[in-house]
């Protein structure tokens, strides 16, 4: 019936809208998590530590360096995949821009939070753990939305497929590479050792493992996943 087809079409449009909303929400939550980790003063993830060290050297904002880095990841994907690069994934540039801008707002512009400094070592750890959990949940929300991929993670995936190396192995090697690059910058330019501290190693241990909890939670809270299941069920009944 025509009315049934219209109903299905409306649900499909709603699904696309929910995908976009949840993707943006995931990017925002991830950026908030990264901001908490930066404010903790106990270190960041390997990649963010590298971009923040570059920010110290160039006097650019941390979020701006995150944008530049992630856009570079998109460019490398295009150079590797060429015609096989999915055009939809050009929107990874939007993800990169949005994430960097939100980090800049939280760390430099938001009254209260931007000027906040943890008053004790214990509070630093609370900020660090909160940042790790928020970043983990934000990534889970983005993955659940299943629309636009994160530039760096997708670049590792592309290289993993090209070199026939398991993603988890290559992802760990990438972390070690950026930690090494950060240490080189710290030693050569006499930077403070605030980007690579105990929190960096804890984040490397907890971020991946926490996905075992945050991913199911994200799926359970996802309006997109719930509607998709209903649409799939109705189509199968037809």
């Amino acid at each position: 019936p025509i009315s049934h087809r219209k109903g299905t079409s409306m649900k499909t449009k709603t699904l696309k809208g929910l995908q976009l909303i949840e993707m943006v929400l995931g990017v925002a939550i991830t950026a908030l998590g990264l901001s908490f980790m930066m404010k903790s003063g106990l270190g960041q993830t390997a990649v963010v530590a590298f971009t923040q060290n570059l920010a110290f050297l160039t006097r650019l904002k941390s979020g701006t360096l995150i944008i530049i880095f992630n856009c570079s990841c998109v460019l490398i994907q295009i150079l590797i995949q060429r015609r096989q690069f999915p055009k939809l994934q050009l929107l990874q540039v939007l993800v990169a821009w949005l994430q960097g801008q939100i980090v800049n707002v939280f760390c430099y512009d938001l009254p209260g939070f931007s000027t906040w400094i943890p008053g004790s070592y214990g509070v630093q750890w609370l900020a660090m753990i909160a940042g790790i959990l928020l970043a983990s949940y934000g990534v889970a929300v983005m993955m659940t939305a299943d629309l636009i991929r994160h530039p760096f993670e997708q670049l590792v995936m592309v290289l993993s497929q090209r070199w026939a190396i398991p993603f988890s192995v290559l992802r760990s090697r990438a972390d070690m590479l950026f930690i090494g690059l950060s240490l080189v910058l710290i030693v050569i330019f006499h930077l403070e050792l605030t980007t690579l501290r105990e929190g960096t190693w804890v984040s490397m241990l907890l971020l991946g493992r926490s996905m075992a909890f945050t991913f199911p939670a994200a799926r359970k809270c996802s309006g997109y996943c719930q509607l998709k299941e209903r649409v799939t069920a109705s189509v199968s009944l037809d």
Side-chain angles (χ1 to χ4, degrees):
I2 295 176
S3 59
H4 179 75
R5 289 199 298 270
K6 287 183 177 179
T8 303
S9 177
M10 287 183 64
K11 287 181 180 179
T12 301
K13 291 179 180 179
T14 303
L15 276 173
K16 293 296 183 182
L18 285 173
Q19 273 185 297
L20 181 61
I21 291 171
E22 291 185 13
M23 183 205 75
V24 171
L25 180 62
V27 173
I29 294 172
T30 303
L32 177 59
L34 295 178
S35 301
F36 264 103
M37 293 169 73
M38 290 179 186
K39 299 297 287 186
S40 75
L42 294 178
Q44 293 88 44
T45 63
V47 172
V48 175
F50 173 68
T51 59
Q52 194 164 9
N53 281 319
L54 289 178
F56 292 152
L57 292 173
T58 59
R59 306 297 181 184
L60 294 174
K61 292 181 177 180
S62 298
T64 303
L65 261 298
I66 289 175
I67 293 172
I68 294 171
F69 175 83
N70 281 320
C71 286
S72 299
C73 291
V74 179
L75 178 59
I76 296 171
Q77 289 177 52
I78 295 172
L79 292 175
I80 293 173
Q81 293 185 292
R82 298 181 183 274
R83 293 182 179 179
Q84 294 180 333
F85 181 81
K87 292 182 179 178
L88 179 64
Q89 295 306 316
L90 284 171
L91 292 178
Q92 289 179 41
V93 174
L94 174 62
V95 171
W97 177 84
L98 185 61
Q99 186 179 68
Q101 289 296 333
I102 293 174
V103 167
N104 281 342
V105 168
F106 280 126
C107 290
Y108 299 97
D109 304 318
L110 187 67
F113 187 86
S114 61
T115 55
W116 172 65
I117 299 175
S120 67
Y121 190 62
V123 176
Q124 283 181 290
W125 270 113
L126 287 176
M128 187 71 195
I129 297 300
I132 291 172
L133 293 177
L134 284 168
S136 175
Y137 184 72
V139 171
V141 171
M142 287 181 63
M143 291 174 63
T144 301
D146 193 25
L147 183 62
I148 310 300
R149 302 175 185 115
H150 189 275
F152 176 65
E153 302 295 337
Q154 183 58 20
L155 174 59
V156 176
M157 180 63 72
V158 169
L159 292 174
S160 169
Q161 294 169 352
R162 177 61 61 95
W163 295 338
I165 299 175
F167 174 83
S168 58
V169 173
L170 193 59
R171 185 64 178 79
S172 296
R173 291 179 182 177
D175 278 342
M176 298 309 297
L177 171 65
F178 285 107
I179 286 175
L181 291 174
S182 290
L183 288 172
V184 169
L185 292 176
I186 290 169
V187 171
I188 292 177
F189 296 101
H190 307 288
L191 301 176
E192 292 184 13
L193 196 64
T194 57
T195 57
L196 292 178
R197 287 187 55 182
E198 54 270 39
T200 301
W201 308 104
V202 171
S203 71
M204 290 177 63
L205 290 173
L206 292 185
L207 265 175
R209 295 181 180 182
S210 63
M211 292 289 289
F213 305 99
T214 58
F215 189 71
R219 287 189 62 85
K220 186 176 181 180
C221 297
S222 171
Y224 163 70
C225 286
Q226 294 172 16
L227 181 58
K228 183 180 179 181
E229 289 175 0
R230 289 199 296 269
V231 170
T232 302
S234 65
V235 170
S236 62
L237 287 175
D238 294 339

